[in-house]
Amino acid sequence: MSDMQKSVTPGRPKCCLNYSPEFKQRIIEASFQPGVSISRLALGNGINANLLFKWRQKWRQGAIRTRRNASTNSRSA
């Protein structure tokens, strides 16, 4: 085993960015506007379109909260 392999800790690669919940919320909400291109929106904000699709999927599953699904929940109560 090389010295480099010994010093690497398991887990997330250092290249992976953690985006703030506010950033995710803003991008997810913008992606639901009529006529918005998901790919163009993602690239315009410096993220990969696949990542935005993943965030939207998690939002639909309730794993990501936004003002949009918070207001929907309060109306249905």
Side-chain angles (χ1 to χ4, degrees), residues 8 11-14 17 22 25 31 34 37 39 49 51 56-58 62 66-67 69 73 75-76:
V8 174
R12 294 186 83 160
K14 291 184 180 181
L17 298 174
E22 294 81 17
Q25 180 181 43
S31 73
S37 164
S39 297
L51 181 58
R56 286 168 49 103
Q57 182 180 30
K58 286 184 176 185
T66 65
R67 289 182 294 244
N69 61 353
N73 290 342
R75 282 188 218 152
S76 63

Side-chain angles (χ1 to χ4, degrees), residues 15-67:
C15 65
C16 294
L17 298 174
N18 289 321
Y19 296 97
S20 71
E22 294 81 17
F23 177 77
K24 289 181 184 181
Q25 180 181 43
R26 184 173 57 82
I27 301 301
I28 291 169
E29 288 177 355
S31 73
F32 285 105
Q33 297 301 314
V36 169
S37 164
I38 302 294
S39 297
R40 190 170 291 153
L41 177 65
L43 292 175
N45 284 280
I47 63 172
N48 188 292
N50 290 330
L51 181 58
L52 180 51
F53 279 110
K54 182 186 280 188
W55 289 350
R56 286 168 49 103
Q57 182 180 30
K58 286 184 176 185
W59 175 83
R60 283 189 207 102
Q61 295 169 349
I64 296 178
R65 306 269 311 157
T66 65
R67 289 182 294 244

Side-chain angles (χ1 to χ4, degrees), residues 2-17:
S2 72
D3 289 337
M4 187 173 184
Q5 288 174 322
K6 290 178 186 175
S7 65
V8 174
T9 56
R12 294 186 83 160
K14 291 184 180 181
C15 65
C16 294
L17 298 174

